[in-house]
Amino acid sequence: SPGTEWVSAAERPGGSLLTRQLQELWRRSRGSLAPQRLLFEVTSASVVSERSSKYVLYTIYLIRSGQFDKAPATIARRYSDFEQLNRRLRCRFSCDMASIAFPRKRLRRNFTAETIAKRSRAFEQFLSHLHSIDEIRRSPEFLEFFFLPDLQAAQRLTCTGMYREALATWANAYRLQDRLGVCSSGRFLLTLAGLAVCHQELDQLSEAHGCCEQALQLLEAQGSHPLLGPFLQAHIHLAWKVGKDKRRSEARLQDLREAGLPLQQQPSLKECLIKEPLE
């Protein structure tokens, strides 16, 4: 789909986030309950010609106010993606959306520098306004506009064995969810699974181990979760490989066994990742 055609490793600065950075990001997001001010900045816009169609692709950085992000969280979207988001939100939040302006579609002069510049500013204001409204900011419609295309692209790349490109895409999805403050959702655990699998396939074992550790911290309070068994098994295997302590995970796995979980039939982390429906 046009929304995901732009994904490429070359466009992703700092794709392979270090485990230390991942953990630090997670700790920070965990500690801040009040939403930080998020800025949306269109950093470039390019005209794309495809067979019979032509459109403008806007690249947007999500920037935390007052902080320098070494590896930015980025999305690239076209007018029709914004239009779809606008339509979905107006259906669900008609009162809140009444005061929010959306740039109108033009019949002519869509590709002039003036129109593109005006639209860029309008999209920045549109996203900032949406983010300032609590209910909208937390809605799946708003959140998934940012990271669902990356998750879908990363899943496809992982399935086809393009682990380096997939890793960069999972890492960007991680940064997007971090900026948006949703580091405890199921999608975030799936992102950690993607990072762990790709790091492992690329022989970056300590990074893979760190991703499993982070996921297990998030799953600490959960007695059962479809990803708990697969994460524990991956963590034990990786801890053994990198010479880290695996006793806690072994004990948790034993508890699951005693609770009657048939671990022999448990899928691996990679199988969970491939089977997860991402609509």
Side-chain angles (χ1 to χ4, degrees):
S1 77
T4 53
E5 73 211 347
W6 46 271
V7 172
S8 83
E11 289 171 46
R12 301 308 174 92
S16 57
L17 268 172
L18 294 170
T19 311
R20 234 184 4 263
Q21 287 173 290
L22 287 170
Q23 287 169 337
E24 181 54 36
L25 279 171
W26 180 66
R27 268 199 299 276
R28 278 212 309 271
S29 69
R30 199 180 176 204
S32 60
L33 294 172
Q36 291 174 306
R37 183 149 180 256
L38 203 56
L39 306 175
F40 302 91
E41 189 184 323
V42 175
T43 56
S44 67
S46 50
V47 178
V48 178
S49 295
E50 266 184 357
R51 291 185 288 285
S52 57
S53 71
K54 189 176 169 187
Y55 57 88
V56 180
L57 197 62
Y58 299 86
T59 299
I60 298 157
Y61 279 20
L62 278 67
I63 302 160
R64 278 201 199 92
S65 179
Q67 287 187 21
F68 171 70
D69 286 322
K70 208 160 48 181
T74 70
I75 59 168
R77 299 288 182 271
R78 51 193 285 187
Y79 182 90
S80 57
D81 297 322
F82 284 102
E83 197 174 36
Q84 187 187 26
L85 173 67
N86 182 50
R87 219 172 27 245
R88 290 178 73 191
L89 290 173
R90 281 183 200 279
C91 279
R92 193 169 156 203
F93 304 103
S94 51
C95 292
D96 285 320
M97 293 294 291
S99 63
I100 297 180
F102 186 78
R104 283 203 312 273
K105 208 167 183 71
R106 299 173 63 126
L107 294 173
R108 293 188 302 279
R109 296 175 58 78
N110 275 306
F111 302 103
T112 65
E114 187 191 5
T115 300
I116 291 171
K118 273 187 183 162
R119 281 228 174 123
S120 297
R121 299 294 79 81
F123 287 144
E124 288 174 349
Q125 286 161 3
F126 175 66
L127 293 176
S128 291
H129 203 154
L130 294 177
H131 188 258
S132 71
I133 299 166
D134 275 4
E135 271 194 70
I136 291 179
R137 182 174 61 240
R138 296 194 198 104
S139 70
E141 291 89 345
F142 178 73
L143 292 167
E144 293 189 346
F145 168 79
F146 291 95
F147 56 79
L148 190 60
D150 262 19
L151 294 180
Q152 291 167 331
Q155 186 185 49
R156 262 199 317 278
L157 290 163
T158 307
C159 289
T160 52
M162 297 176 73
Y163 300 114
R164 202 162 294 286
E165 293 84 349
L167 181 63
T169 312
W170 288 117
N172 192 60
Y174 182 109
R175 290 191 290 272
L176 288 166
Q177 289 168 89
D178 171 59
R179 302 297 184 279
L180 294 160
V182 284
C183 285
S184 54
S185 69
R187 298 288 205 209
F188 189 67
L189 282 167
L190 192 75
T191 307
L192 286 171
L195 286 165
V197 165
C198 292
H199 276 308
Q200 187 169 358
E201 292 288 350
L202 294 166
D203 219 26
Q204 298 163 357
L205 301 185
S206 61
E207 285 89 342
H209 173 264
C211 293
C212 292
E213 292 236 295
Q214 192 181 348
L216 290 173
Q217 282 178 304
L218 281 171
L219 289 163
E220 189 75 56
Q222 307 212 25
S224 67
H225 185 282
L227 286 172
L228 180 56
F231 265 122
L232 283 169
Q233 288 177 321
H235 185 251
I236 290 164
H237 172 73
L238 287 160
W240 174 73
K241 287 256 190 187
V242 297
K244 295 274 167 109
D245 189 0
K246 58 189 192 324
R247 285 170 299 187
R248 182 158 168 67
S249 288
E250 285 172 335
R252 284 179 80 182
L253 204 57
Q254 187 56 35
D255 290 344
L256 291 182
R257 272 198 197 92
E258 285 165 11
L261 191 74
L263 292 174
Q264 283 71 34
Q265 291 132 43
Q266 280 277 290
S268 69
L269 215 46
K270 192 173 180 181
E271 285 164 343
C272 292
L273 205 59
I274 289 166
K275 288 176 186 161
E276 180 71 19
L278 284 172
E279 272 96 43

